[in-house]
Amino acid sequence: MTDKISPDALIEAALLTQTEPLTEKSMRELCVPPLSQDKLIDVLAQLKTRWQDRALQLVHTQEGWRFQIVQTAFERLGSLQEQRTPRYSRAVMETLAIIAYQQPVTRGDIEGIRGVAVSQNVMQTLQDRGWIEVIGHRDTLGKPALWATTATFLSDLRLDGLEELPPLTELGELVLPDLIEMPLTDEEEPEAVPSDTLPN
C-alpha cells in the first residue's frame, strides 16, 4: 500500500508528524524514485493551497518546511491549558537580547554591556535551547569565542532573518511560554522578572 501513496500525501504526512522542520532534500528523498526539485515545488504549492484559510499553515523557515498554527488560533488554543506566567532570569533575557542585537559578541562584550559577570549557567541555558552558538573566535589575546544566534532562534520566533527582529522592547513578547521556560540560573541576579522585562 505504501507504494500507492502519492508524493503530496506522503510529504503532507511527514510535515504533519515530524517535530522538526523538513529540508527539501529530505522530502524529495522520501519518494521512490526521489522527486525532482520542480516536482517538489509543485507539491508544496498544492499543500499551501490545500491548507489555505485553515488553522494550520505551511511555512518555510531557515531550517526547512513545517506546519505551524496561525496566530489567531494559537491565542485561542492557549486557553485550553492553564499556565502560570513564566518568569525568567533577568540575566538570561539580557544576555539573549545582547547577542541577538549586537552579534557576533564575545562573553567579555556581554559582560561589558551588562556590567556584571555572565554565569556559565546562563550561556548553557541558551545553548541547550539551541538559540546561540559559537561562530568563530576573535583575533585577539586568548582568541575569545564569538557568539551569535542560530537558525533555530529565528525559526522559533517565526522570523525569516535578523533584519526582522522587532524593537528591543518587544523581544520578550516573542519568547512565548510554549517555546521556552528558562530557569533562574544566574547566581548574581536571583530575582525573577516577567518575560516582557528587558534591558533599557
Side-chain angles (χ1 to χ4, degrees):
M1 179 177 293
T2 301
D3 292 338
K4 297 181 180 179
I5 297 177
S6 64
D8 61 321
L10 183 61
I11 291 173
E12 180 180 40
L15 288 165
L16 287 170
T17 57
Q18 298 305 301
T19 58
E20 299 296 328
L22 295 178
T23 65
E24 294 183 359
K25 180 176 184 292
S26 65
M27 288 187 287
R28 285 192 284 110
E29 293 179 350
L30 276 176
C31 304
V32 180
L35 289 183
S36 67
Q37 183 64 26
D38 288 342
K39 178 60 178 176
L40 177 63
I41 291 174
D42 290 341
V43 168
L44 292 173
Q46 292 172 17
L47 290 178
K48 291 190 75 170
T49 299
R50 183 183 304 167
W51 286 85
Q52 190 172 2
D53 299 324
R54 297 190 184 185
L56 289 178
Q57 60 183 354
L58 181 60
V59 298
H60 182 254
T61 71
Q62 288 199 355
E63 294 184 297
W65 290 84
R66 71 177 184 185
F67 279 103
Q68 71 180 26
I69 303 173
V70 298
Q71 186 61 34
T72 50
F74 178 84
E75 294 169 356
R76 295 285 187 87
L77 292 176
S79 64
L80 292 178
Q81 51 184 333
E82 294 182 2
Q83 293 183 334
R84 65 178 180 84
T85 301
R87 297 174 72 82
Y88 309 135
S89 160
R90 180 184 298 277
V92 169
M93 293 301 295
E94 289 183 353
T95 300
L96 175 61
I98 290 169
I99 295 173
Y101 289 90
Q102 303 292 328
Q103 61 188 300
V105 292
T106 67
R107 190 162 168 176
D109 294 332
I110 298 169
E111 293 175 343
I113 294 172
R114 293 190 61 225
V116 294
V118 177
S119 108
Q120 180 56 37
N121 287 338
V122 167
M123 301 299 288
Q124 191 61 53
T125 296
L126 292 170
Q127 281 183 274
D128 290 345
R129 185 59 187 83
W131 280 9
I132 64 171
E133 64 182 352
V134 174
I135 62 169
H137 293 81
R138 182 170 291 168
D139 190 18
T140 57
L141 182 64
K143 302 286 186 181
L146 287 168
W147 293 91
T149 53
T150 64
T152 298
F153 170 78
L154 293 174
S155 178
D156 284 352
L157 271 64
R158 301 183 182 186
L159 303 175
D160 289 329
L162 293 173
E163 66 279 358
E164 293 186 5
L165 279 170
L168 183 59
T169 53
E170 296 178 12
L171 180 62
E173 297 176 8
L174 290 181
V175 184
L176 301 175
D178 70 315
L179 293 178
I180 182 169
E181 184 168 348
M182 292 180 174
L184 304 181
T185 55
D186 193 293
E187 295 178 356
E188 79 269 6
E189 291 192 49
E191 178 188 359
V193 296
S195 62
D196 59 354
T197 301
L198 291 167
N200 295 325

